[in-house]
Amino acid sequence: MRKRLIFILLFLLPFIGRAQEPESLEYELRYKLGAMKTKVANATMTLELSEWQEQPAYLSVVKIRVAPVFRLFMRAEYMAGLYLSNPGMESVYNFSQTGKDYTYCYYGKGERGIHFERHPKGRKQGEHFFFDNDGRTFELLSMLWYIRRFDFDQTETLDLKAFFTGTIMDCQVRRTGKDSEKYPGHTADCIQVDLLGRGLMENGSGNQVLVWRDTEGTRPILGLEISLGKGTLFCNITNL
């Protein structure tokens, strides 16, 4: 369960708006179970100008620093990164280090498809998965970058496919309305992400993510929440 929780923390943060200028956003993550609400981690989400294979690109990096009390059974830091084309903001190459696994994902065009590799630490052979590149199939970090740039019609449902540790999941995403009360001084788009079938966790939970995205400026995410087991994970921006 801890391993899957870290995947969730890494891949939920990039709902940060349409900004294509360098920036750094900071978040706090808390888990609520009954009357207890415990700080799990701090996180940063950065976007900077870069290069990929000698071509202009963007590099987005998520880093999570786990609270000291949880470091008894979790790593102190986790990270994931994604190169995107410049211009276009299309996924090119994804990499992550989450616990004992290292993953890499190459996005080819046309028949070259999407190549996803997972390399468990200590094993000589990794696992390789291939997916057709239909423009709406992504690993989770790329999927969320795609969603964050999407302009939703009030009645439109966006159908996507996400692959998570080699498993394909059907997803439906829609904007459910606006909220000007939850975050004083900000009007937010309310976005609902449904993972069809089972959820992200081993017990089947984590199949719906609720997101509040600012409607102004670069449309940063103000907060999100996801039910995990008997509790709820909250993520809120702290430097806006």
Side-chain angles (χ1 to χ4, degrees):
M1 176 169 177
R2 293 193 300 270
K3 180 179 175 181
R4 286 180 174 265
L5 178 60
I6 289 300
F7 269 108
I8 293 167
L9 299 184
L10 284 170
F11 297 134
L12 291 185
L13 292 177
F15 275 106
I16 64 172
R18 293 182 295 176
Q20 297 183 13
E21 297 295 330
E23 65 180 337
S24 179
L25 299 176
E26 299 175 4
Y27 293 86
E28 182 180 80
L29 298 111
R30 291 183 175 271
Y31 184 72
K32 186 176 186 300
L33 181 62
M36 180 186 69
K37 192 172 185 179
T38 305
K39 180 179 176 179
V40 176
N42 290 315
T44 59
M45 172 70 184
T46 60
L47 180 67
E48 61 184 52
L49 296 173
S50 185
E51 290 186 350
W52 171 255
Q53 295 185 342
E54 300 183 348
Q55 296 296 317
Y58 295 99
L59 173 60
S60 174
V61 176
V62 176
K63 291 185 178 180
I64 294 175
R65 295 174 302 281
V66 174
V69 68
F70 290 99
R71 294 180 187 178
L72 296 174
F73 50 88
M74 299 170 66
R75 294 170 58 92
E77 186 172 285
Y78 298 81
M79 66 82 64
L82 175 66
Y83 284 94
L84 301 116
S85 64
N86 179 9
M89 297 291 287
E90 296 181 353
S91 296
V92 177
Y93 175 72
N94 166 263
F95 58 95
S96 69
Q97 180 180 355
T98 54
K100 297 181 180 181
D101 287 354
Y102 298 83
T103 64
Y104 310 90
C105 184
Y106 301 83
Y107 283 83
K109 296 184 180 298
E111 294 182 356
R112 289 184 293 169
I114 303 168
H115 296 264
F116 178 74
E117 299 177 30
R118 182 170 65 235
H119 295 268
K121 186 176 180 181
R123 297 184 186 178
K124 294 183 179 180
Q125 298 295 326
E127 297 176 286
H128 180 263
F129 304 88
F130 177 83
F131 306 97
D132 292 334
N133 193 349
D134 58 4
R136 291 198 172 188
T137 299
F138 310 97
E139 38 72 33
L140 292 182
L141 183 54
S142 293
M143 184 192 78
L144 297 179
W145 269 98
Y146 180 87
I147 291 171
R148 75 170 180 84
R149 298 190 302 114
F150 196 83
D151 292 315
F152 290 92
D153 183 283
Q154 180 65 51
T155 60
E156 184 174 15
T157 297
L158 181 61
D159 293 314
L160 300 177
K161 291 183 181 294
F163 48 93
F164 179 63
T165 64
T167 301
I168 284 282
M169 296 184 293
D170 291 316
C171 307
Q172 290 186 338
V173 186
R174 61 191 179 96
R175 184 171 68 87
T176 59
K178 294 184 181 295
D179 187 339
S180 58
E181 296 181 358
K182 187 175 180 66
Y183 295 93
H186 298 271
T187 299
D189 283 321
C190 303
I191 299 173
Q192 178 176 313
V193 182
D194 291 307
L195 305 177
L196 307 182
R198 60 154 295 160
L200 292 172
M201 304 299 286
E202 283 108 340
N203 62 8
S205 66
N207 55 10
Q208 186 178 91
V209 183
L210 303 177
V211 183
W212 287 263
R213 183 182 67 184
D214 202 327
T215 59
E216 301 296 330
T218 60
R219 301 196 312 191
I221 280 304
L222 302 172
L224 62 85
E225 64 181 64
I226 177 172
S227 295
L228 299 174
K230 297 181 179 180
T232 304
L233 178 70
F234 296 88
C235 176
N236 288 289
I237 197 166
T238 59
N239 68 333
L240 184 63

